[in-house]
Amino acid sequence: MADLQVNIAGVTFGNPLIAASGTFGFGREFAQFYPLSTLGGVACKGLTLRERAGNPPPRIAETPGGMLNSVGLQNPGVEHFIREDLPWLREQGTAVIANIAGNTPEEYCKMAERLSEAEVDMVELNISCPNVKQGGAAFGTSCESAAAVTAAVRRYCKKPLMVKLSPNVTDIGEIAAAVEGAGADALSMINTLTGMRIDLRTRRPILKNNTGGLSGPALLPVALRMVWQASSRVKIPVVGLGGISTWRDVVEMLLAGASAVQIGTVLFSDPYAPVKILEGLEAYLNENEIPAVSELTGKVKPW
Amino acid sequence: MKSYDTAACEILKKAEIAPGFFDLTVSCAEAARKARAGQFAQFLVPGKTLRRPISICGIDRANGTLRFVFQVRGEGTRALSLLNPGEPVNLLAPLGNGFDLGDTSRRALFVGGGIGVPPLLEAAKPFGKNAVLAAGFRSRDAVILKDDFESTGCETRIATDDGSFGRRGLVLDLIGDLAFDVVFACGPKPMLRAIAKLAAERGVPCYVSMEERMACGIGACLGCAVKLRGENGDYFGHVCKDGPVFDAETVVWEE
């Protein structure tokens, strides 16, 4: 049997499948379908320092091969998470990643400091949310601000620090290198691509926020390309995400340079996707006599 | 462990009951056993990123079937309308809270607009002759489920936009003279807002089934937001998990 375990910045994941932030809540809804230990890890819904109401609806629009969302980081706040959700999630036998988003570097630092005392395995720095006016992607779209917020949080964060990158940039390799230089232990990429849809009848954007984040299968080739480019520029591990729906997509993402993957939007059409992906991945490894999934990382043979 | 059914289900019957309105009977024993009036199912549409939420119109526990009446609105519902008896369909059901029917000896008013009418049928059944349906449709050829309601003992009052069937005008025009103890409503938001106001004026409880663009259907993604009144001010609840049925007094109706 192939070894599915992966290690990202000192954290052991039982397998390389991690639920992507924003698609999985804090895990309770999906625990009705299968034990969360099925997953290597869970990246929790993006947290802010204080409770956040989110954006007005409509927040969802379907697109060819994907969907837009403009949820806008609706969440109960970091203290509520630590008090009400983390103790339960901690018991589910999966690695716990806290995803944090701030309006200012100070807010990121306060959350990282607070979570450093909590029972989370890793902190994922969300500098790439396209749906909030302040902060979010504003930090993630220039090398200087991405590096500055990473360096600031690094001083307060005692947990392994993963930085989630935005695809809405001109040179993903530059950003990846800048964030690594500022002290990140890992990268996760890509967050959603900013998009838009318009209702022909009303001539209004379907989303009340006008724009939203594109996710789903349409993103996969973009994510593969960016993971490939970024992983060739940095030494720290890259967790790949964006449009993964099948075990084949996972293998591609690992070959492109990812050490683990996150899966998100596919859960909306098939909540059991992680179970099926894992079965397929395991069969692929066994059939091809690949002893460990970690051997696939970066093994693409570019022309 | 599993509280929702995604087992492969089979289409048993299909009928187009009005132009663009389809009536499906689906064999899904486990979901039928758990389902209650006002809940919904998420239909997988092959090739689409998102499932389509469709309300449950009828529950037949003895035969292990659910009935769904939906309108073709876009590509997804069109694909569902092309499914035929004998073909499989993947459902995630039952979802949402459903109607809390309470004391069925009360005089219950059911208010439906267009494709908002189907989820009221199963809720009206236990009220029998104590139920009145006030339903509005676009025109005569869009009137659906009138006979189904009448066969449960329910009185029906119909309005159409163009006056081609029943009274010309709005559903609210149908109920000025009516005495009732509770209201259950589903339809366009302006209609729900109006009936909620009327019920509040009369001091009668009113439950509304709401709709919003939805992704996961189980309360994880927070997509289908609806603004609600809470103890600490307004907040966004979610149609799929907190609803689709809400006490009308908790809904923030102003835009």
Side-chain angles (χ1 to χ4, degrees), chain B residues 28-41:
Chain B
C28 46
E30 192 185 343
R33 187 170 54 74
K34 292 174 184 162
R36 42 188 286 181
Q39 290 189 298
F40 67 100

Side-chain angles (χ1 to χ4, degrees), chain A residues 29 32 59 62 269 272, chain B residues 1-2 51-52 222 241:
Chain A
E29 291 79 15
Q32 300 170 100
R59 295 174 170 184
E62 197 173 45
S269 58
Y272 291 102
Chain B
M1 172 65 62
K2 169 176 86 164
R51 287 175 179 253
R52 297 300 188 269
L222 312 183
K241 194 172 183 178

Side-chain angles (χ1 to χ4, degrees), chain B residues 28-134:
Chain B
C28 46
E30 192 185 343
R33 187 170 54 74
K34 292 174 184 162
R36 42 188 286 181
Q39 290 189 298
F40 67 100
Q42 283 264 63
F43 280 68
L44 183 73
V45 184
K48 291 285 175 190
T49 300
L50 300 177
R51 287 175 179 253
R52 297 300 188 269
I54 297 178
S55 62
I56 293 170
C57 173
I59 303 166
D60 183 343
R61 292 189 184 85
N63 289 309
T65 64
L66 291 175
R67 180 184 182 192
F68 299 92
V69 171
F70 65 96
Q71 184 181 15
V72 172
R73 291 263 186 94
E75 292 170 32
T77 42
R78 181 166 309 283
L80 291 177
S81 76
L82 296 175
L83 290 169
N84 284 309
E87 291 181 336
V89 61
N90 181 305
L91 300 185
L92 188 57
L95 301 172
N97 58 359
F99 289 110
D100 185 0
L101 300 179
D103 176 4
T104 55
S105 67
R106 290 182 296 175
R107 294 167 299 174
L109 171 63
F110 290 85
V111 178
I115 199 58
V117 171
L120 302 176
L121 179 60
E122 187 66 28
K125 275 182 194 167
F127 286 91
K129 291 188 183 310
N130 297 324
V132 176
L133 170 73

Side-chain angles (χ1 to χ4, degrees), chain A residues 22-23 25 29-33 53-60 62 65-67 71 74 206 208 265 268-269 272, chain B residues 1-4 6 44 48-52 92 212-216 218-223 225 236 238 241 255:
Chain A
T23 64
E29 291 79 15
F30 285 89
Q32 300 170 100
F33 296 97
N55 291 326
R59 295 174 170 184
I60 302 288
E62 197 173 45
M67 60 173 280
V71 171
Q74 177 171 4
I206 290 177
K208 199 69 174 272
T265 299
F268 302 159
S269 58
Y272 291 102
Chain B
M1 172 65 62
K2 169 176 86 164
S3 76
Y4 310 120
T6 50
L44 183 73
K48 291 285 175 190
T49 300
L50 300 177
R51 287 175 179 253
R52 297 300 188 269
L92 188 57
E212 187 50 68
R213 286 173 181 268
M214 189 178 287
C216 75
I218 58 173
C221 77
L222 312 183
F236 286 115
H238 298 93
K241 194 172 183 178
E255 285 290 314

Side-chain angles (χ1 to χ4, degrees), chain A residues 221-232:
Chain A
V222 180
L224 286 168
R225 183 265 295 178
M226 288 192 157
V227 165
W228 179 56
Q229 289 177 330
S231 61
S232 67

